[in-house]
Protein backbone atom coordinates (compact mmCIF):
# COMPACT_ATOMS: atom_id res chain seq x y z
CA UNK A 1 0.00 0.00 0.00
CA UNK A 2 1.31 3.45 -0.88
CA UNK A 3 0.74 6.69 0.99
CA UNK A 4 -2.38 7.54 -1.04
CA UNK A 5 -4.05 4.22 -0.24
CA UNK A 6 -3.25 4.45 3.47
CA UNK A 7 -4.69 7.97 3.59
CA UNK A 8 -7.81 6.84 1.69
CA UNK A 9 -8.31 3.91 4.08
CA UNK A 10 -7.77 6.09 7.15
CA UNK A 11 -10.20 8.84 6.09
CA UNK A 12 -12.89 6.39 4.97
CA UNK A 13 -12.69 4.34 8.18
CA UNK A 14 -12.64 7.51 10.28
CA UNK A 15 -15.95 8.56 8.68
CA UNK A 16 -17.31 5.05 9.29
CA UNK A 17 -16.21 5.12 12.96
CA UNK A 18 -17.92 8.47 13.59
CA UNK A 19 -21.19 7.20 12.12
CA UNK A 20 -20.93 3.87 13.99
CA UNK A 21 -20.34 5.71 17.27
CA UNK A 22 -23.44 7.86 16.70
CA UNK A 23 -25.62 4.83 15.92
CA UNK A 24 -24.30 2.99 18.96
CA UNK A 25 -24.94 6.01 21.23
CA UNK A 26 -28.53 6.33 19.98
CA UNK A 27 -29.22 2.61 20.45
CA UNK A 28 -27.59 2.71 23.89
CA UNK A 29 -29.93 5.54 24.93
CA UNK A 30 -32.97 3.52 23.81
CA UNK A 31 -31.69 0.46 25.68
CA UNK A 32 -31.07 2.47 28.88
CA UNK A 33 -34.54 4.06 28.71
CA UNK A 34 -36.12 0.61 28.43
CA UNK A 35 -34.07 -0.58 31.40
CA UNK A 36 -34.97 2.46 33.53
CA UNK A 37 -38.69 2.04 32.86
CA UNK A 38 -38.58 -1.57 34.04
CA UNK A 39 -35.41 -1.98 36.18
CA UNK A 40 -36.47 -5.43 37.38
CA UNK A 41 -36.91 -6.74 33.84
CA UNK A 42 -34.44 -7.39 31.08
CA UNK A 43 -34.69 -4.95 28.12
CA UNK A 44 -36.24 -6.44 24.95
CA UNK A 45 -33.95 -9.03 23.36
CA UNK A 46 -34.20 -7.28 19.99
CA UNK A 47 -32.83 -4.04 21.48
CA UNK A 48 -30.04 -5.92 23.30
CA UNK A 49 -28.95 -7.74 20.13
CA UNK A 50 -29.05 -4.53 18.12
CA UNK A 51 -26.90 -2.78 20.72
CA UNK A 52 -24.35 -5.61 20.67
CA UNK A 53 -24.23 -5.61 16.87
CA UNK A 54 -23.70 -1.83 16.71
CA UNK A 55 -20.98 -2.03 19.35
CA UNK A 56 -19.30 -4.70 17.24
CA UNK A 57 -19.43 -2.42 14.14
CA UNK A 58 -18.06 0.50 16.13
CA UNK A 59 -15.18 -1.52 17.58
CA UNK A 60 -14.33 -2.95 14.13
CA UNK A 61 -13.94 0.55 12.67
CA UNK A 62 -12.12 1.81 15.77
CA UNK A 63 -9.65 -1.11 15.72
CA UNK A 64 -8.85 -0.65 12.04
CA UNK A 65 -8.37 3.06 12.63
CA UNK A 66 -5.99 2.37 15.54
CA UNK A 67 -3.90 0.03 13.38
CA UNK A 68 -3.73 2.56 10.54
CA UNK A 69 -2.57 5.32 12.89
CA UNK A 70 0.52 3.30 13.74
CA UNK A 71 3.60 3.51 11.46
CA UNK A 72 3.06 1.21 8.49
CA UNK A 73 5.93 -0.62 6.75
CA UNK A 74 6.37 0.18 3.05
CA UNK A 75 5.51 -3.34 1.97
CA UNK A 76 2.25 -3.46 3.96
CA UNK A 77 -0.79 -4.96 2.24
CA UNK A 78 -4.51 -5.03 2.99
CA UNK A 79 -4.10 -8.70 3.97
CA UNK A 80 -1.49 -7.69 6.56
CA UNK A 81 -3.80 -4.93 7.79
CA UNK A 82 -6.56 -7.53 8.22
CA UNK A 83 -4.31 -9.74 10.37
CA UNK A 84 -3.10 -6.82 12.52
CA UNK A 85 -6.68 -5.64 13.09
CA UNK A 86 -7.80 -9.15 14.01
CA UNK A 87 -5.00 -9.50 16.56
CA UNK A 88 -5.70 -6.07 18.09
CA UNK A 89 -9.45 -6.76 18.25
CA UNK A 90 -8.80 -10.04 20.04
CA UNK A 91 -6.55 -8.39 22.67
CA UNK A 92 -8.54 -5.18 23.25
CA UNK A 93 -12.15 -6.46 22.97
CA UNK A 94 -12.08 -10.02 24.37
CA UNK A 95 -15.78 -10.03 25.33
CA UNK A 96 -16.96 -8.91 21.89
CA UNK A 97 -14.49 -11.32 20.27
CA UNK A 98 -15.87 -14.23 22.33
CA UNK A 99 -19.48 -13.30 21.57
CA UNK A 100 -19.11 -13.07 17.78
CA UNK A 101 -16.25 -15.50 17.12
CA UNK A 102 -13.09 -15.22 15.04
CA UNK A 103 -14.76 -15.92 11.67
CA UNK A 104 -17.31 -13.17 12.13
CA UNK A 105 -14.65 -10.70 13.27
CA UNK A 106 -12.46 -11.48 10.25
CA UNK A 107 -15.47 -11.16 7.94
CA UNK A 108 -16.53 -7.78 9.36
CA UNK A 109 -13.00 -6.34 9.09
CA UNK A 110 -12.63 -7.70 5.54
CA UNK A 111 -16.03 -6.26 4.53
CA UNK A 112 -15.06 -2.85 5.84
CA UNK A 113 -11.77 -2.97 3.94
CA UNK A 114 -13.52 -4.15 0.77
CA UNK A 115 -15.92 -1.19 0.96
CA UNK A 116 -12.97 1.11 0.25
CA UNK A 117 -11.60 1.00 -3.31
CA UNK A 118 -7.96 1.42 -4.22
CA UNK A 119 -6.84 4.88 -5.41
CA UNK A 120 -6.64 3.40 -8.93
CA UNK A 121 -10.32 2.41 -8.77
CA UNK A 122 -11.25 5.92 -7.64
CA UNK A 123 -9.65 7.49 -10.69
CA UNK A 124 -10.44 4.89 -13.33
CA UNK A 125 -12.91 2.39 -11.89
CA UNK A 126 -16.42 1.40 -12.82
CA UNK A 127 -18.84 -1.42 -11.89
CA UNK A 128 -20.38 -4.38 -13.73
CA UNK A 129 -24.04 -3.84 -12.85
CA UNK A 130 -26.24 -0.92 -11.89
CA UNK A 131 -29.36 -0.92 -9.76
CA UNK A 132 -32.41 1.00 -10.94
CA UNK A 133 -35.13 2.00 -8.48
CA UNK A 134 -38.42 1.84 -10.39
CA UNK A 135 -40.69 2.57 -7.41
CA UNK A 136 -43.21 5.36 -8.01
CA UNK A 137 -41.75 7.20 -5.03
CA UNK A 138 -38.51 7.65 -7.01
CA UNK A 139 -40.11 8.81 -10.24
CA UNK A 140 -42.34 11.35 -8.46
CA UNK A 141 -39.52 13.13 -6.60
CA UNK A 142 -38.97 15.93 -9.20
CA UNK A 143 -42.66 16.89 -8.79
CA UNK A 144 -42.38 17.32 -5.01
CA UNK A 145 -41.07 20.70 -3.78
CA UNK A 146 -38.16 20.73 -1.33
CA UNK A 147 -39.40 22.56 1.76
CA UNK A 148 -36.86 25.11 3.11
CA UNK A 149 -35.09 24.31 6.37
CA UNK A 150 -36.99 26.89 8.43
CA UNK A 151 -40.44 25.65 7.32
CA UNK A 152 -42.44 22.58 8.38
CA UNK A 153 -42.50 19.99 5.57
CA UNK A 154 -45.81 18.85 4.13
CA UNK A 155 -46.22 15.37 2.70
CA UNK A 156 -47.19 14.68 -0.91
CA UNK A 157 -49.51 11.71 -1.42
CA UNK A 158 -48.28 9.28 -4.09
CA UNK A 159 -50.78 6.64 -5.21
CA UNK A 160 -49.12 3.22 -5.44
CA UNK A 161 -52.13 0.89 -5.72
CA UNK A 162 -55.89 0.54 -5.42
CA UNK A 163 -57.76 -1.57 -2.89
CA UNK A 164 -61.48 -2.17 -3.41
CA UNK A 165 -61.72 0.95 -5.55
CA UNK A 166 -59.88 3.13 -3.04
CA UNK A 167 -56.46 4.64 -3.64
CA UNK A 168 -53.58 3.40 -1.50
CA UNK A 169 -51.02 6.14 -0.96
CA UNK A 170 -47.58 6.59 0.45
CA UNK A 171 -46.66 9.99 1.87
CA UNK A 172 -43.38 11.53 0.71
CA UNK A 173 -41.68 14.61 2.17
CA UNK A 174 -38.57 16.44 0.99
CA UNK A 175 -36.95 18.83 3.44
CA UNK A 176 -33.78 20.91 3.13
CA UNK A 177 -31.30 20.16 5.90
CA UNK A 178 -29.23 23.22 5.00
CA UNK A 179 -29.88 26.55 3.32
CA UNK A 180 -29.89 27.65 0.59
CA UNK A 181 -30.95 24.74 -1.59
CA UNK A 182 -32.67 24.16 -4.94
CA UNK A 183 -36.51 24.31 -4.95
CA UNK A 184 -36.90 20.89 -6.59
CA UNK A 185 -34.92 17.87 -7.64
CA UNK A 186 -34.36 17.24 -11.33
CA UNK A 187 -34.46 14.03 -13.36
CA UNK A 188 -30.66 14.30 -13.53
CA UNK A 189 -30.52 14.31 -9.70
CA UNK A 190 -32.39 10.98 -9.80
CA UNK A 191 -29.86 9.62 -12.30
CA UNK A 192 -26.96 10.64 -10.03
CA UNK A 193 -28.71 9.08 -7.03
CA UNK A 194 -29.24 5.83 -8.98
CA UNK A 195 -25.53 5.78 -9.88
CA UNK A 196 -24.44 6.36 -6.26
CA UNK A 197 -26.87 3.66 -5.07
CA UNK A 198 -25.35 1.31 -7.66
CA UNK A 199 -21.85 1.88 -6.25
CA UNK A 200 -23.19 1.26 -2.74
CA UNK A 201 -24.99 -1.93 -3.85
CA UNK A 202 -21.75 -3.20 -5.43
CA UNK A 203 -20.18 -3.28 -1.94
CA UNK A 204 -18.12 -0.10 -2.21
CA UNK A 205 -19.04 2.83 0.03
CA UNK A 206 -16.25 5.23 -0.89
CA UNK A 207 -16.31 6.75 -4.36
CA UNK A 208 -14.91 9.70 -6.28
CA UNK A 209 -16.86 12.10 -8.48
CA UNK A 210 -14.91 10.78 -11.49
CA UNK A 211 -15.87 7.20 -10.65
CA UNK A 212 -19.55 8.14 -10.28
CA UNK A 213 -19.37 9.90 -13.67
CA UNK A 214 -18.24 6.63 -15.25
CA UNK A 215 -21.01 4.64 -13.56
CA UNK A 216 -23.54 7.29 -14.61
CA UNK A 217 -22.49 7.26 -18.26
CA UNK A 218 -21.85 3.51 -18.45
CA UNK A 219 -18.19 4.12 -19.31
CA UNK A 220 -15.54 1.45 -18.93
CA UNK A 221 -12.63 1.75 -16.54
CA UNK A 222 -10.01 4.27 -17.71
CA UNK A 223 -12.46 5.82 -20.22
CA UNK A 224 -11.66 9.49 -20.61
CA UNK A 225 -14.17 11.94 -19.15
CA UNK A 226 -15.66 13.63 -22.22
CA UNK A 227 -17.89 16.29 -20.67
CA UNK A 228 -16.57 18.66 -18.01
CA UNK A 229 -20.02 20.32 -17.90
CA UNK A 230 -21.66 17.00 -16.97
CA UNK A 231 -18.94 16.31 -14.37
CA UNK A 232 -19.64 19.71 -12.80
CA UNK A 233 -23.40 18.95 -12.88
CA UNK A 234 -22.62 15.70 -11.00
CA UNK A 235 -20.78 17.66 -8.29
CA UNK A 236 -23.69 20.08 -7.84
CA UNK A 237 -26.18 17.22 -7.75
CA UNK A 238 -24.21 15.38 -5.04
CA UNK A 239 -24.25 18.55 -2.92
CA UNK A 240 -28.05 18.70 -3.28
CA UNK A 241 -28.65 15.02 -2.59
CA UNK A 242 -26.51 14.92 0.56
CA UNK A 243 -28.29 18.02 1.93
CA UNK A 244 -31.91 16.94 1.30
CA UNK A 245 -33.92 14.84 3.76
CA UNK A 246 -36.61 12.43 2.60
CA UNK A 247 -39.37 10.76 4.59
CA UNK A 248 -41.45 7.95 3.06
CA UNK A 249 -44.45 6.84 5.11
CA UNK A 250 -45.57 3.51 3.62
CA UNK A 251 -47.90 2.34 6.41
CA UNK A 252 -50.95 2.06 4.09
CA UNK A 253 -48.96 0.14 1.50
CA UNK A 254 -47.53 -2.29 4.06
CA UNK A 255 -51.08 -3.13 5.24
CA UNK A 256 -52.24 -3.99 1.70
CA UNK A 257 -52.69 -7.69 0.97
CA UNK A 258 -50.17 -8.15 -1.86
CA UNK A 259 -47.48 -6.22 0.04
CA UNK A 260 -47.97 -7.94 3.42
CA UNK A 261 -45.72 -10.84 2.41
CA UNK A 262 -42.74 -8.52 2.05
CA UNK A 263 -40.19 -8.15 4.82
CA UNK A 264 -41.26 -4.85 6.38
CA UNK A 265 -38.68 -4.18 9.09
CA UNK A 266 -40.08 -0.67 9.13
CA UNK A 267 -42.80 1.28 7.31
CA UNK A 268 -41.20 4.71 7.57
CA UNK A 269 -37.98 5.34 5.65
CA UNK A 270 -36.20 8.53 6.66
CA UNK A 271 -32.83 10.16 6.14
CA UNK A 272 -30.73 12.05 3.63
CA UNK A 273 -31.35 11.13 -0.01
CA UNK A 274 -27.67 10.23 -0.07
CA UNK A 275 -26.44 9.79 3.52
CA UNK A 276 -22.78 10.49 2.97
CA UNK A 277 -19.87 12.63 4.04
CA UNK A 278 -17.10 14.24 2.04
CA UNK A 279 -13.62 12.90 2.72
CA UNK A 280 -10.25 14.29 1.78
CA UNK A 281 -7.75 12.19 -0.09
CA UNK A 282 -4.93 12.79 -2.54
CA UNK A 283 -2.45 11.18 -4.92
CA UNK A 284 1.29 11.03 -4.34
CA UNK A 285 4.37 10.38 -6.39
CA UNK A 286 6.66 9.03 -3.69
CA UNK A 287 6.03 11.52 -0.89
CA UNK A 288 5.22 14.37 -3.28
CA UNK A 289 1.57 15.49 -3.46
CA UNK A 290 0.46 15.44 -7.10
CA UNK A 291 -3.32 15.99 -6.97
CA UNK A 292 -6.33 16.10 -4.67
CA UNK A 293 -9.32 13.82 -5.15
CA UNK A 294 -13.01 14.68 -4.76
CA UNK A 295 -14.34 11.75 -2.66
CA UNK A 296 -17.46 10.75 -0.74
CA UNK A 297 -18.21 8.03 1.83
CA UNK A 298 -21.77 6.63 1.98
CA UNK A 299 -22.42 5.99 5.67
CA UNK A 300 -25.84 4.35 5.54
CA UNK A 301 -28.30 2.74 3.13
CA UNK A 302 -30.10 5.47 1.12
CA UNK A 303 -33.76 5.53 2.33
CA UNK A 304 -35.19 5.29 -1.18
CA UNK A 305 -33.05 2.23 -1.91
CA UNK A 306 -34.15 0.60 1.36
CA UNK A 307 -37.82 1.27 0.50
CA UNK A 308 -37.47 0.08 -3.11
CA UNK A 309 -35.77 -3.15 -1.98
CA UNK A 310 -38.53 -3.77 0.57
CA UNK A 311 -41.25 -3.65 -2.10
CA UNK A 312 -39.10 -5.58 -4.64
CA UNK A 313 -38.92 -2.68 -7.11
CA UNK A 314 -35.20 -2.56 -7.83
CA UNK A 315 -34.08 -3.66 -11.29
CA UNK A 316 -30.52 -4.80 -12.02
CA UNK A 317 -29.08 -3.50 -15.29
CA UNK A 318 -25.80 -4.61 -16.90
CA UNK A 319 -23.49 -1.62 -17.12
CA UNK A 320 -23.22 -2.03 -20.90
CA UNK A 321 -26.92 -1.07 -21.14
CA UNK A 322 -26.15 2.30 -19.55
CA UNK A 323 -23.23 2.85 -21.90
CA UNK A 324 -23.87 5.77 -24.23
CA UNK A 325 -23.35 4.47 -27.78
CA UNK A 326 -21.59 6.29 -30.59
CA UNK A 327 -23.66 9.28 -31.62
CA UNK A 328 -24.92 9.99 -28.08
CA UNK A 329 -22.73 12.42 -26.14
CA UNK A 330 -22.57 12.43 -22.34
CA UNK A 331 -24.76 15.49 -21.80
CA UNK A 332 -27.18 15.95 -18.91
CA UNK A 333 -30.10 15.93 -21.38
CA UNK A 334 -29.08 12.65 -23.04
CA UNK A 335 -28.53 10.90 -19.69
CA UNK A 336 -32.03 11.95 -18.57
CA UNK A 337 -33.58 10.64 -21.82
CA UNK A 338 -31.72 7.33 -21.45
CA UNK A 339 -32.82 6.82 -17.83
CA UNK A 340 -36.44 7.79 -18.56
CA UNK A 341 -36.49 5.25 -21.39
CA UNK A 342 -35.09 2.60 -19.03
CA UNK A 343 -37.87 3.36 -16.54
CA UNK A 344 -40.64 2.89 -19.12
CA UNK A 345 -39.01 -0.27 -20.50
CA UNK A 346 -38.80 -1.88 -17.04
CA UNK A 347 -42.30 -0.69 -16.15
CA UNK A 348 -43.68 -2.54 -19.20
CA UNK A 349 -41.36 -5.58 -19.26
CA UNK A 350 -42.99 -8.42 -21.21
CA UNK A 351 -45.92 -6.26 -22.34
CA UNK A 352 -44.40 -3.79 -24.76
CA UNK A 353 -44.90 -0.05 -24.56
CA UNK A 354 -46.13 2.65 -26.90
CA UNK A 355 -44.39 5.82 -25.84
CA UNK A 356 -45.16 9.30 -27.15
CA UNK A 357 -42.06 11.37 -27.74
CA UNK A 358 -43.66 14.34 -26.00
CA UNK A 359 -44.35 12.21 -22.90
CA UNK A 360 -40.78 10.89 -22.92
CA UNK A 361 -39.18 14.32 -23.21
CA UNK A 362 -41.46 15.86 -20.59
CA UNK A 363 -40.70 13.02 -18.16
CA UNK A 364 -36.99 13.51 -18.86
CA UNK A 365 -37.31 17.17 -17.87
CA UNK A 366 -36.18 18.31 -21.32
CA UNK A 367 -37.03 21.63 -22.96
CA UNK A 368 -39.32 20.95 -25.92
CA UNK A 369 -39.83 24.56 -27.04
CA UNK A 370 -37.05 24.38 -29.66
CA UNK A 371 -37.73 22.28 -32.78
CA UNK A 372 -34.05 21.59 -33.44
CA UNK A 373 -33.61 20.33 -29.87
CA UNK A 374 -36.66 18.05 -30.25
CA UNK A 375 -35.25 16.65 -33.50
CA UNK A 376 -31.92 15.91 -31.81
CA UNK A 377 -33.69 14.22 -28.86
CA UNK A 378 -35.69 11.98 -31.21
CA UNK A 379 -32.45 11.03 -32.93
CA UNK A 380 -30.83 10.23 -29.56
CA UNK A 381 -33.84 8.09 -28.61
CA UNK A 382 -33.61 6.06 -31.82
CA UNK A 383 -29.83 5.55 -31.45
CA UNK A 384 -30.26 4.33 -27.85
CA UNK A 385 -33.07 1.92 -28.78
CA UNK A 386 -31.15 0.58 -31.78
CA UNK A 387 -28.10 -0.05 -29.56
CA UNK A 388 -30.22 -1.85 -26.94
CA UNK A 389 -31.75 -3.99 -29.66
CA UNK A 390 -28.27 -4.89 -30.94
CA UNK A 391 -27.09 -6.05 -27.49
CA UNK A 392 -30.34 -7.95 -26.84
CA UNK A 393 -31.72 -5.71 -24.09
CA UNK A 394 -34.96 -5.11 -26.03
CA UNK A 395 -36.52 -7.21 -28.78
CA UNK A 396 -37.63 -4.52 -31.21
CA UNK A 397 -38.49 -0.87 -31.59
CA UNK A 398 -40.71 0.64 -34.27
CA UNK A 399 -41.76 4.17 -35.06
CA UNK A 400 -45.55 4.67 -34.92
CA UNK A 401 -46.68 6.93 -37.78
CA UNK A 402 -49.56 9.26 -36.97
CA UNK A 403 -50.71 12.22 -39.06
CA UNK A 404 -47.91 11.62 -41.61
CA UNK A 405 -45.18 11.90 -38.95
CA UNK A 406 -43.72 9.84 -36.18
CA UNK A 407 -45.12 11.01 -32.83
CA UNK A 408 -44.51 7.84 -30.87
CA UNK A 409 -42.38 4.73 -30.72
CA UNK A 410 -43.34 1.16 -29.85
CA UNK A 411 -40.85 -0.81 -27.75
CA UNK A 412 -41.07 -4.56 -27.24
Amino acid sequence: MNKAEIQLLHNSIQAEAIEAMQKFSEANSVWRCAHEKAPNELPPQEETEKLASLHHDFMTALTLLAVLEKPMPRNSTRERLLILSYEMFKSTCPNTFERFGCEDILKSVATLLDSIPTPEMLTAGSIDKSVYMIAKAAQCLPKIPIVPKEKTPTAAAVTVAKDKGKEVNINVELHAAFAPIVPRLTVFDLSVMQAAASIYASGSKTFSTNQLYRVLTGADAHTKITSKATLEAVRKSLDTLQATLITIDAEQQAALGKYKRYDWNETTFKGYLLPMTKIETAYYSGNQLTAKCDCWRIIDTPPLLAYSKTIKQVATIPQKVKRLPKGVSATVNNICIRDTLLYYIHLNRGKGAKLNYSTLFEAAGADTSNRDTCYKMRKVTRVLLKYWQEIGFITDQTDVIESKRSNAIYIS
Side-chain angles (χ1 to χ4, degrees):
M1 296 186 295
N2 57 23
K3 189 175 180 180
E5 185 166 5
I6 292 171
Q7 185 185 55
L8 177 61
L9 287 167
H10 179 276
N11 292 349
S12 295
I13 294 166
Q14 188 175 54
E16 190 77 17
I18 292 169
E19 179 66 16
M21 181 178 66
Q22 186 176 337
K23 287 181 180 178
F24 173 70
S25 297
E26 289 170 358
N28 192 37
S29 296
V30 172
W31 188 89
R32 285 182 178 278
C33 284
H35 181 63
E36 287 169 4
K37 284 180 181 178
N40 297 323
E41 297 178 17
L42 289 172
Q45 185 179 356
E46 184 181 345
E47 297 297 336
T48 302
E49 288 179 356
K50 182 180 178 182
L51 187 65
S53 177
L54 289 171
H55 180 261
H56 168 254
D57 293 343
F58 174 50
M59 292 311 299
T60 299
L62 210 59
T63 303
L64 258 173
L65 199 59
V67 172
L68 280 165
E69 286 176 347
K70 292 184 175 183
M72 299 290 292
R74 281 190 177 183
N75 58 349
S76 292
T77 62
R78 291 196 179 204
E79 289 74 18
R80 180 62 183 158
L81 189 59
L82 176 63
I83 293 168
L84 290 171
S85 301
Y86 172 81
E87 290 173 349
M88 181 178 282
F89 201 116
K90 187 177 181 179
S91 62
T92 57
C93 309
N95 292 337
T96 305
F97 187 90
E98 188 176 338
R99 178 186 178 93
F100 288 94
C102 59
E103 284 188 15
D104 189 83
I105 300 297
L106 278 169
K107 184 179 177 182
S108 61
V109 174
T111 300
L112 182 51
L113 285 171
D114 288 344
S115 74
I116 306 162
T118 62
E120 291 74 25
M121 274 294 291
L122 280 181
T123 54
S126 191
I127 56 177
D128 296 326
K129 294 179 181 178
S130 284
V131 297
Y132 197 87
M133 295 172 276
I134 55 175
K136 282 190 177 179
Q139 304 308 314
C140 289
L141 287 185
K143 299 176 183 178
I144 301 172
I146 301 174
V147 179
K149 181 184 177 182
E150 64 276 6
K151 294 186 179 180
T152 304
T154 52
V158 178
T159 303
V160 293
K162 284 192 175 182
D163 183 33
K164 298 176 183 177
K166 293 183 178 180
E167 291 183 345
V168 176
N169 297 325
I170 59 171
N171 294 315
V172 183
E173 296 174 3
L174 292 177
H175 197 198
F178 311 108
I181 202 170
V182 295
R184 290 177 190 269
L185 297 173
T186 64
V187 176
F188 184 70
D189 289 327
L190 294 190
S191 295
V192 171
M193 182 169 60
Q194 302 270 22
S198 296
I199 293 172
Y200 180 82
S202 74
S204 180
K205 294 183 182 180
T206 299
F207 66 90
S208 67
T209 309
N210 287 11
Q211 187 185 11
L212 188 134
Y213 173 94
R214 289 186 174 85
V215 173
L216 179 69
T217 58
D220 293 329
H222 301 283
T223 300
K224 186 179 178 181
I225 291 174
T226 56
S227 173
K228 289 184 178 180
T230 301
L231 184 62
E232 185 57 34
V234 167
R235 290 193 178 102
K236 289 181 179 178
S237 181
L238 287 172
D239 286 337
T240 298
L241 293 167
Q242 67 96 26
T244 305
L245 291 161
I246 184 172
T247 301
I248 303 171
D249 180 358
E251 188 175 352
Q252 280 189 37
Q253 187 179 17
L256 193 62
K258 67 177 182 179
Y259 291 104
K260 278 184 178 179
R261 68 180 185 273
Y262 296 146
D263 188 13
W264 292 89
N265 293 322
E266 55 189 345
T267 58
T268 300
F269 302 83
K270 187 175 182 179
Y272 291 97
L273 281 168
L274 282 181
M276 59 187 187
T277 184
K278 210 164 193 175
I279 62 173
E280 292 183 3
T281 190
Y283 307 116
Y284 293 85
S285 177
N287 288 322
Q288 186 69 35
L289 175 67
T290 57
K292 289 187 176 180
C293 184
D294 203 10
C295 287
W296 298 87
R297 174 77 181 176
I298 301 177
I299 52 180
D300 206 353
T301 305
L304 193 58
L305 179 61
Y307 165 73
S308 300
K309 281 186 172 181
T310 299
I311 60 171
K312 312 295 183 188
Q313 289 187 358
V314 178
T316 302
I317 302 173
Q319 194 65 359
K320 66 178 180 180
V321 173
K322 293 186 72 175
R323 190 172 301 146
L324 296 172
K326 188 177 180 180
V328 180
S329 55
T331 64
V332 168
N333 212 37
N334 289 347
I335 290 168
C336 292
I337 290 172
R338 179 205 63 194
D339 285 357
T340 306
L341 271 172
L342 287 173
Y343 169 69
Y344 281 112
I345 288 170
H346 277 284
L347 200 63
N348 297 280
R349 264 289 187 225
K351 298 181 289 184
K354 179 185 173 184
L355 185 59
N356 290 325
Y357 283 111
S358 57
T359 303
L360 169 64
F361 300 151
E362 182 183 345
D367 180 14
T368 56
S369 59
N370 186 290
R371 287 186 64 183
D372 288 340
T373 303
C374 287
Y375 171 77
K376 289 177 182 177
M377 290 191 296
R378 285 175 184 241
K379 187 177 178 182
V380 165
T381 302
R382 293 190 185 100
V383 172
L384 284 168
L385 291 173
K386 183 181 179 183
Y387 167 65
W388 289 340
Q389 190 177 347
E390 287 171 356
I391 64 173
F393 181 63
I394 61 174
T395 305
D396 195 12
Q397 48 96 10
T398 312
D399 270 338
V400 178
I401 308 299
E402 296 174 351
S403 304
K404 297 183 180 180
R405 62 172 294 185
S406 172
N407 292 319
I409 198 158
Y410 183 82
I411 306 166
S412 59

